[in-house]
């Protein structure tokens, strides 16, 4: 007969952390969120670590080159999505590795014969107010002029007005030659009181833009994650179908770590993929595997050569695997069991294999719980999809700004390679197409989230994540205590008609 688990499958909502003794040293400035990403021999330094315990999911609606750059600046890693042609994914990875902090390759470009209407449409789509006007409308065309919000007035001009009639022409623009250092570029900006400095090649073609506003931003990125050559660290997703072609292309593009993107990782497909990578590259190529939800799945992937193991099936906000197939497990229960297996494997082999909690995280405090329960880092989709840096469109729904967000198991993604049963056609969906509330910039929001995690660690008397896991005391909560934990028995000021009276 079937095996039955005696304990129920629980979610993060069913647990709380109990505060512990906090010494005077337990202040936010003393905390460290540094965490290993790839396996290592205990007592030695991990070959790859992050400065924050968060990565962005291998999803079309979440992780492209722009997200990868933004997250690396904050100390995390983005895994560029795999459900696209190999050459496109490799090009995204290369963009991240070639990116020079402070030098922005313009993605808002038009031709001089286009119109104000085109300017407004582009601004709505990208959110950028500075547009480079090039001879062919590309980011590497010959610079003809620049348009900013100061160059036009929507209320006084016809939308059909040609750009070349109101742009700032090249002969009135201060620019710098290719090869100018960031320090030199910032000096030019400050000396001439500029907002934007174009960097041009000898032929006058666009190379990059340096913005005045980025000067402060660059100074704020104290946790940025770079490799030995001071290039941003970037990850990339792979599947178990075209890995013999995809992996070499991503490695050549400079990917620092790979991740097998699959709805279920306890399979021969993943073992075969890991074996190919180990045979071809040894331990020089780092690769995570998953997803799994129990001890057996973890041990299988760890013994197959995974550098980290990803936990979670059916817990994502856009995942309906549990509804359609009856497959999955409560995320908290899965993390607790896999963390025990990770420690068991460490005791047996002396090798520490990091684990990643993927899915089931709705609130910021769920991240703290996942880390306290043993996760080394969390993979987030919905969280990052809300920001300016995600590749999805910003739209208006019911008068509110939203970002499009869809699952890799949805028909929109058509990511059949993720479902390891050898069928190249999705006969049913395991993900939905949806919207999430637009939240603004990654930097501003992530700072608040990390502040909460650090504060929780201090409340538990911990200054590092390792110490957090050792000192954390976790309690189950009842349905009534969940209600008690939020606003109740009051009338909210923001919406006087809304009663929070407990029933």
């Amino acid at each position: 007969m079937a095996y039955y688990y005696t304990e129920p499958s629980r979610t993060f909502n069913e647990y709380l952390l109990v505060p512990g003794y906090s010494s005077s040293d337990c202040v936010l400035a003393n905390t460290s969120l540094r965490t290993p990403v790839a396996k290592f021999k205990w007592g030695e330094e991990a070959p790859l670590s992050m400065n924050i315990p968060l990565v962005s999911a291998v999803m079309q609606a979440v992780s492209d080159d722009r997200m990868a750059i933004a997250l690396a600046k904050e100390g995390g890693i983005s895994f560029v999505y795999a459900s696209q042609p190999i050459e496109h994914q490799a090009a995204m990875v290369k963009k991240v590795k070639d990116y020079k902090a402070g030098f922005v390759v313009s993605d808002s470009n038009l031709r001089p014969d286009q119109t104000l209407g085109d300017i407004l449409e582009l601004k709505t789509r990208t959110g950028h107010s500075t547009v480079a006007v090039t001879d062919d409308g590309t980011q590497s065309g010959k610079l003809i002029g620049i348009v900013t919000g100061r160059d036009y007035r929507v209320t006084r001009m016809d939308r059909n007005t040609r750009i070349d009639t109101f742009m700032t022409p090249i002969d009135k623009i201060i620019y710098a030659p290719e090869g100018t250092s960031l320090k030199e570029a910032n000096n030019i900006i400050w000396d001439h009181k500029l907002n934007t400095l174009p960097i041009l090649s000898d032929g006058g073609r666009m190379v990059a833009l340096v913005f005045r506003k980025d000067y402060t931003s660059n100074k704020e990125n104290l946790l940025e994650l770079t490799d030995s050559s001071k290039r941003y660290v970037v990850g990339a997703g792979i599947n178990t179908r075209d890995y013999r072609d995809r992996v070499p292309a991503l490695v050549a593009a400079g990917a620092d770590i790979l991740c097998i993107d699959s709805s279920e990782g306890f399979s021969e497909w993943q073992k075969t993929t890991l074996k190919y990578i180990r045979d071809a590259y040894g331990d020089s190529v780092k690769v995570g595997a998953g997803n799994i939800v129990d001890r057996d799945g973890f041990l299988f992937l760890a013994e197959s050569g995974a550098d980290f193991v990803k936990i979670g099936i059916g817990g994502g906000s856009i995942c309906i695997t549990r509804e359609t197939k009856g497959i999955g497990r409560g995320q908290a229960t899965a993390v607790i069991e896999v963390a025990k297996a990770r420690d068991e494997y460490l005791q047996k082999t002396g090798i520490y294999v990091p684990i990643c909690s993927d899915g089931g995280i709705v609130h910021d405090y769920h991240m703290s719980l996942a880390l306290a329960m043993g996760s080394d880092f969390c993979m987030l989709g919905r969280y990052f999809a809300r920001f300016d840096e995600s590749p999805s469109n910003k739209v208006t729904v019911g008068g509110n700004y939203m970002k499009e967000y869809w699952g890799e198991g949805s028909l929109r993604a058509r990511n059949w390679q993720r479902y390891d049963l050898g069928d190249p056609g999705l006969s049913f969906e395991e993900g939905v197409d949806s919207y999430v509330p637009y939240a603004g910039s990654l930097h501003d929001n992530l700072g608040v989230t990390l502040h909460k995690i650090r504060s929780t660690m201090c409340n538990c008397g911990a200054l590092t994540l390792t110490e957090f896991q050792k000192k954390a005391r976790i309690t189950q909560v009842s349905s009534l205590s969940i209600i008690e934990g939020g606003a109740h028995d009051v009338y909210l000021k923001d919406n006087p008609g809304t009663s929070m009276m407990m029933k």
Side-chain angles (χ1 to χ4, degrees):
M1 62 179 288
Y3 176 81
Y4 289 88
Y5 289 87
T6 56
E7 290 295 321
S9 179
R10 301 193 182 279
T11 70
F12 292 131
N13 271 331
E14 298 176 76
Y15 292 92
L16 286 174
L17 283 154
V18 176
Y21 171 73
S22 300
S23 71
S24 58
D25 290 331
C26 285
V27 294
L28 301 188
N30 292 339
T31 58
S32 170
L33 296 178
R34 189 165 175 81
T35 190
V37 184
K39 66 182 179 182
F40 61 98
K41 187 175 182 179
W42 192 251
E44 298 181 357
E45 185 74 18
L48 180 62
S49 296
M50 294 187 296
N51 293 325
I52 64 171
L54 305 178
V55 301
S56 68
V58 189
M59 299 177 69
Q60 294 175 13
V62 180
S63 300
D64 63 355
D65 52 289
R66 189 177 176 211
M67 175 61 74
I69 292 169
L71 190 49
K73 287 181 179 179
E74 305 296 334
I77 296 176
S78 184
F79 285 88
V80 175
Y81 68 93
S83 50
Q84 61 176 319
I86 294 173
E87 60 272 19
H88 293 178
Q89 187 187 20
M92 285 186 179
V93 170
K94 191 173 186 305
K95 279 185 180 180
V96 180
K97 302 307 291 186
D98 290 345
Y99 181 83
K100 294 182 179 180
F103 292 88
V104 180
V105 177
S106 176
D107 59 0
S108 293
N109 312 283
L110 293 173
R111 300 185 313 275
D113 60 336
Q114 290 183 269
T115 66
L116 174 60
D118 294 317
I119 292 279
L120 300 177
E121 181 182 343
L122 184 63
K123 183 178 180 181
T124 299
R125 188 167 72 250
T126 65
H128 300 159
S129 58
T130 299
V131 176
V133 184
T134 59
D135 58 348
D136 57 4
T138 68
Q139 62 184 22
S140 59
K142 186 174 182 179
L143 186 65
I144 304 298
I146 283 182
V147 175
T148 69
R150 296 177 301 177
D151 293 314
Y152 60 85
R153 289 292 179 271
V154 177
T155 56
R156 297 185 180 184
M157 295 170 60
D158 190 286
R159 291 175 63 94
N160 293 319
T161 305
R162 283 174 55 119
I163 290 175
D164 55 11
T165 64
F166 61 86
M167 69 181 185
T168 301
I170 186 63
D171 58 3
K172 294 185 179 179
I173 295 174
I174 295 174
Y175 56 87
E178 186 176 10
T180 299
S181 70
L182 182 59
K183 181 177 181 180
E184 292 168 337
N186 282 320
N187 286 338
I188 295 172
I189 286 174
W190 287 101
D191 290 344
H192 295 274
K193 299 180 180 179
L194 305 174
N195 288 321
T196 308
L197 178 69
I199 307 296
L200 305 182
S201 68
D202 289 340
R205 306 187 78 83
M206 280 288 298
V207 174
L209 296 171
V210 180
F211 293 95
R212 182 188 188 95
K213 63 181 177 62
D214 287 342
Y215 177 81
T216 301
S217 176
N218 292 335
K219 294 295 184 182
E220 292 175 350
N221 297 324
L222 301 178
L223 295 177
E224 65 180 9
L225 191 62
T226 59
D227 61 18
S228 58
S229 300
K230 300 299 181 183
R231 302 177 301 172
Y232 284 137
V233 171
V234 59
I238 60 173
N239 59 65
T240 58
R241 297 299 167 201
D242 61 10
Y243 59 88
R244 292 179 182 274
D245 297 318
R246 191 174 293 270
V247 170
L250 295 173
V251 171
D256 296 278
I257 187 166
L258 307 176
C259 179
I260 302 175
D261 179 42
S262 172
S263 63
E264 206 280 298
F266 196 175
S267 72
E268 185 177 354
W269 304 109
Q270 295 221 0
K271 182 177 181 179
T272 302
T273 304
L274 289 167
K275 184 178 186 304
Y276 162 78
I277 293 173
R278 292 295 169 240
D279 289 346
Y281 300 98
D283 288 329
S284 64
V285 171
K286 307 305 176 187
V287 55
N291 286 20
I292 51 86
V293 292
D294 63 2
R295 173 185 181 276
D296 293 342
F298 169 83
L299 294 176
F300 173 79
L301 291 178
E303 290 165 358
S304 296
D307 279 292
F308 71 84
V309 174
K310 201 145 60 80
I311 309 162
I313 295 177
S317 61
I318 41 67
C319 183
I320 54 173
T321 296
R322 297 179 192 176
E323 293 180 29
T324 58
K325 295 168 61 176
I327 294 289
R329 199 178 194 188
Q331 189 68 4
T333 298
V335 169
I336 291 168
E337 180 174 322
V338 173
K340 289 179 181 177
R342 186 264 319 278
D343 293 345
E344 173 189 327
Y345 187 79
L346 171 63
Q347 289 293 323
K348 178 182 177 181
T349 66
I351 303 298
Y352 187 92
V353 180
I355 57 176
C356 167
S357 178
D358 176 22
I361 291 175
V362 178
H363 306 292
D364 286 356
Y365 83 89
H366 289 169
M367 301 178 205
S368 297
L369 278 168
L371 296 169
M373 289 173 176
S375 297
D376 294 281
F377 54 99
C378 302
M379 178 173 278
L380 308 171
R382 182 195 61 85
Y383 178 86
F384 287 114
R386 304 171 302 144
F387 302 143
D388 289 320
E389 293 81 2
S390 75
S392 64
N393 293 322
K394 183 171 74 173
V395 296
T396 303
V397 179
N400 298 310
Y401 282 119
M402 312 288 280
K403 290 277 282 188
E404 294 179 318
Y405 181 47
W406 60 95
E408 289 300 294
S410 66
L411 289 179
R412 178 171 181 173
R414 297 191 178 278
N415 186 9
W416 68 266
Q417 298 100 325
R418 193 173 192 266
Y419 298 86
D420 303 326
L421 299 177
D423 182 5
L426 279 175
S427 56
F428 59 89
E429 292 184 281
E430 291 187 44
V432 298
D433 201 336
S434 64
Y435 301 104
V436 289
Y438 168 67
S441 76
L442 180 148
H443 176 76
D444 293 341
N445 287 274
L446 185 59
V448 175
T449 296
L450 297 178
H451 187 97
K452 292 178 183 177
I453 295 173
R454 290 189 177 99
S455 181
T456 300
M457 290 168 59
C458 287
N459 289 149
C460 295
L463 295 178
T464 67
L465 291 177
T466 299
E467 191 178 15
F468 188 32
Q469 293 169 2
K470 290 179 179 177
K471 291 187 173 182
R473 297 184 298 163
I474 301 172
T475 181
Q476 256 181 260
V477 295
S478 68
S479 58
L480 287 180
S481 65
I482 293 174
I483 295 173
E484 180 185 62
H488 62 89
D489 298 298
V490 294
Y491 288 91
L492 298 182
K493 285 185 176 182
D494 291 342
N495 190 356
T498 300
S499 170
M500 297 299 292
M501 302 298 288
M502 187 166 64
K503 302 187 178 177

